[in-house]
Amino acid sequence: MSADFYKPMRLNEIDSSLQEEIKKVCDINVELCMECGKCTGGCSNAHIFDYTPRKIVQLVKLGAEKTLLSMDALWTCVSCQLCVDRCPSQINIPHIMDYIREKAHRQGVKTRRINVELFHDLMLNSIRKTGRVAEAPLMLNFNLRSRQYMKDAVLGGRMFLKGKLSPFSPVVKDIDHVRRLFKKIADNREG
Amino acid sequence: MNDKAKTALVVGGGLAGMEAALKIGQAGYKVFLVEKETVLGGVLRQLYSSFPRWENPQDLLNNKVQQLGLYKEISILIGMTVKTARREKDAFIVDLQGLDEGDNRQIVVDAVVLATGFELFDASLYGEYGYGIYPNVMNSLEFEAKLKEWGSGQENSQPPQAVAFFKCVGSRDRSKGYPYCSKICCMYTAKQAGVVKDMFPAAKSYVFYMDYRAAGKEYEEFVRSVIETKHVRYVRGRPSKVIPENGRLLVRAEDTLMGVPIEVEVDMVVLAAAIVPRKETKMLAEYFGARTDQYGFLDHDTFNPAKVGDRVFFAGACGFAVETQGAQYQGAAAAAEVIALFNQGGE
Amino acid sequence: MDIAYFPGCSLHAMAHEYDTSTRLVCQRLGINLYEVPDWNCCGATAAHSLDHHLSVGLSSRNLALVKDMNLKQMTTPCAGCFNRLKTASVELKQNDDLTAEIEKLAGISLTGAKEVEVAHTLQVIMEAVGMEGIKEQVIKPLNGMKLAAYSGCLITRPRAIAQFDDPEQPVALDHLLQALGAQPVHWSHKAECCGGGFAASDTDIVVDLGGQVLEAARQAGAEAIVAACPMCQTNLDTRQRAIEDERGIKYNLPIVYFTQLMGLAFSYSPRQMGLNRLLTSPTTLLRSRGLS
């Protein structure tokens, strides 16, 4: 935290552009929040979040983009959608999370949960290459890349015996259309 | 010019309706008090205690019933409902239906007071709370019955170790319920939570709240006393889920003051379900030419707050959520309108 | 009825038995499944986590393929795929700007894709066949097997997207199991999360959330948990030992696909239904009901 953290926040200096941006791009109005905490009370993972769902909505109101982009919760939200339907105002918090996560990924903001981001990246690589996900090769690749060489070795053996691990990677024939969809994410990474 | 031949009809024999009928009768006008149940009292009869003075609501009820019996002008028609009604000049011709098929009656009246009360929002629409599925999850009126049972002095099978009260169940919820605040839940919940502590001092009593709204004479002091002297624990957060666990109920919520998810094990969950209009109110409003709002509450006139149509007035929660004292005020106000109208000797 | 079938990546790999049982059961019920030719991955959690256009785009291509099959409806037995496909379908209908951007990006037309309706296979079976229709096919009833119907997250949520059953107290799966002669238990976690796509990347989350689901099912007296999603099944089955170690409780709860139980009741053999592929063996349970 910067030294500014120790000063009171000047409310009249708050930049509310993020709130406007989320309203425009995601069609989500955080001003509907009644601060009741129902989202957080039932959240599957709030107990391990650094910022809980209600606080995330509040951070959007406060324009605290830097905090949002680097928060751990982006990478531990399981997208279970419990908060959306329980919210008295149906504020789609997972959608806000997706939007901010996408932005964080684009800007290369570092996360402590590198494995989650790595897994997403490897999965997308698989889809870009073949159009589908081959589960067993993906898992193996992930364990190698995350340097967890022995992770789930016993479980892998049990699954192999049950015929659950197929080494083959299926390929979509008309792959060009699929690959073109990756242009935006690729451009973002280069840019 | 007084015209004592004029007659009024009061639909609904709860506190507001009783008050209206009583005042009209006391003024010397004939009045029919129609009540669909076979006893007077409505919701008041179901209550164990009252706020803000911890009085016995049955004393108030008995007082009103006893007074109603003193005036020959007042005819109490219990077990009867309005089947249909039509307007003829300045009069209403009203068909009443009794409990038995052949039990019909037609009356002609010159003014009407609608006092049909409210019902509670169907809390089973919150699947996450399990109302209607888990037996120990109940709404606030069912809990009043529970308090009466406990308070009757009969040996209580299993005193609760902990009770959780949820406010705003259906109220202040655009997605499943109603956007409005039901106004009285903050107070009666404080009362119920306080009674639990009086009855079972060792029990825990938790109130989950978004705000507590105590705008009324002695109201703030009442809620504070529940917290400070009865030691009811107020937790700021709207509960998210009730989970049956180890034979008890686990409540999941956020303590929004701390900003952390919390869990608490209780034996009973009481839902302060929203105050919503009875479906019959809208139908009756149509018979008598009264206005209703978007929810089905009676909609009053700007200049005459007890008036909802020509020669039609309202009292009590059929207009909007109202507490005991307010229902009495409104009953008296509606009666005043009727008496003033009758005293003019017809318009 | 004729309907396009989207198995998704899991059903072609780990959840092969879900694919097989779905096909056989639907055939028996007169639901003709036509696999979408050359389908691609729905994008799953990875795509919607990192790129909205990619996520909607990947699913939209599949919807466009269905239109080319001259079919108007598509079904998938995977709750995750269902959520992504249905989200895309709703976005295409509501968001013209996004649709145009994806058309440009992928170089495909999505005009026809907008008309394709998506439903989870549970919904298709309950709406097209219903409890009575299922009962007519039951040859070997499940004899009061006590089952925890586990809808999980994405078949019913978010309500505005899924438009099926109740997101908090879903009943469709319970009704289906009743029709098979089983006894669904009342339990608290039928719509809570198993940990979703975090099994590899953050296993602790699955051990925590999946553990809560197993514990709730145990307390409700269930003899097995019935899943309608390959992710739910895989998490609860493959991580069950880790959960048992963590909690010090032996659960031994088979995690079965609803289609496998339907197949059994329709008198297919446990092996035909791939019940031998489960890590937590259901054999003892099946024997106790004379089904194996």
Side-chain angles (χ1 to χ4, degrees), chain A residues 48-60:
Chain A
I48 59 166
F49 282 4
D50 48 355
Y51 292 94
T52 60
R54 184 181 55 79
K55 288 183 182 171
I56 290 166
V57 172
Q58 186 65 16
L59 288 169
V60 173

Side-chain angles (χ1 to χ4, degrees), chain C residues 71-109:
Chain C
L71 290 171
K72 285 218 158 98
Q73 268 187 297
M74 168 158 72
T75 188
T76 174
C78 171
C81 298
F82 165 68
N83 172 263
R84 295 331 307 163
L85 293 163
K86 186 101 194 238
T87 300
S89 160
V90 171
E91 285 273 19
L92 293 184
K93 285 188 176 86
Q94 291 176 355
N95 195 338
D96 291 339
D97 291 346
L98 182 72
T99 307
E101 283 162 29
I102 291 170
E103 282 182 324
K104 204 171 146 214
L105 203 58
I108 52 173
S109 163

Side-chain angles (χ1 to χ4, degrees), chain C residues 124-282:
Chain C
V124 171
I125 291 174
M126 288 310 278
E127 285 174 4
V129 184
M131 281 180 83
E132 291 311 310
I134 295 168
K135 276 184 197 161
E136 282 171 23
Q137 297 297 330
V138 172
I139 297 163
K140 291 183 177 172
L142 300 184
N143 294 332
M145 201 185 275
K146 284 197 254 166
L147 301 171
Y150 184 47
S151 279
C153 302
L154 298 178
I155 293 178
T156 60
R157 282 196 303 267
R159 198 194 287 263
I161 297 290
Q163 295 161 27
F164 173 61
D165 211 347
D166 187 277
E168 294 289 349
Q169 299 282 356
V171 291
L173 196 50
D174 297 75
H175 289 168
L176 182 141
L177 296 173
Q178 267 167 13
L180 301 178
Q183 188 191 330
V185 298
H186 286 291
W187 70 311
S188 52
H189 280 56
K190 49 180 19 182
E192 295 285 316
C193 183
C194 68
F198 282 74
S201 56
D202 204 333
T203 314
D204 290 349
I205 289 178
V206 173
V207 171
D208 174 16
L209 298 180
Q212 293 178 33
V213 173
L214 289 177
E215 176 61 22
R218 183 186 73 88
Q219 287 202 17
E223 297 170 286
I225 294 177
V226 183
C229 168
M231 210 134 64
C232 299
Q233 195 281 339
T234 304
N235 281 348
L236 296 180
D237 192 20
T238 64
R239 302 294 164 182
Q240 197 164 136
R241 273 200 190 164
I243 291 166
E244 288 173 342
D245 291 347
E246 172 80 19
R247 293 185 161 241
I249 297 173
K250 194 85 186 134
Y251 288 106
N252 202 22
L253 277 169
I255 316 297
V256 193
Y257 292 110
F258 74 101
T259 47
Q260 291 180 298
L261 292 176
M262 290 182 88
L264 273 188
F266 296 173
S267 93
Y268 288 106
S269 73
R271 186 162 281 273
Q272 278 173 301
M273 288 296 105
L275 281 155
N276 52 315
R277 285 167 55 91
L278 306 184
L279 263 61
T280 311
S281 168

Side-chain angles (χ1 to χ4, degrees), chain B residues 29-47:
Chain B
Y29 291 104
K30 200 167 159 33
V31 55
F32 292 103
L33 177 58
V34 173
E35 165 57 44
K36 67 176 165 48
E37 302 295 332
T38 53
V39 286
L40 291 174
V43 170
L44 183 62
R45 184 174 289 277
Q46 302 176 43
L47 304 181

Side-chain angles (χ1 to χ4, degrees), chain B residues 265-322:
Chain B
E265 272 184 73
V266 298
D267 304 294
M268 199 169 272
V269 168
V270 183
L271 307 176
I275 304 289
V276 302
R278 286 187 192 281
K279 282 159 209 80
E280 304 93 291
T281 300
K282 202 174 170 67
M283 196 179 69
L284 286 169
E286 278 167 26
Y287 293 159
F288 292 108
R291 286 175 302 275
T292 49
D293 65 15
Q294 55 182 315
Y295 307 110
F297 286 119
L298 292 166
D299 198 16
H300 69 79
D301 182 88
T302 307
F303 302 114
N304 299 286
K307 186 173 178 179
V308 290
D310 182 34
R311 295 178 165 267
V312 188
F313 308 94
F314 93 96
C318 56
F320 189 67
V322 65

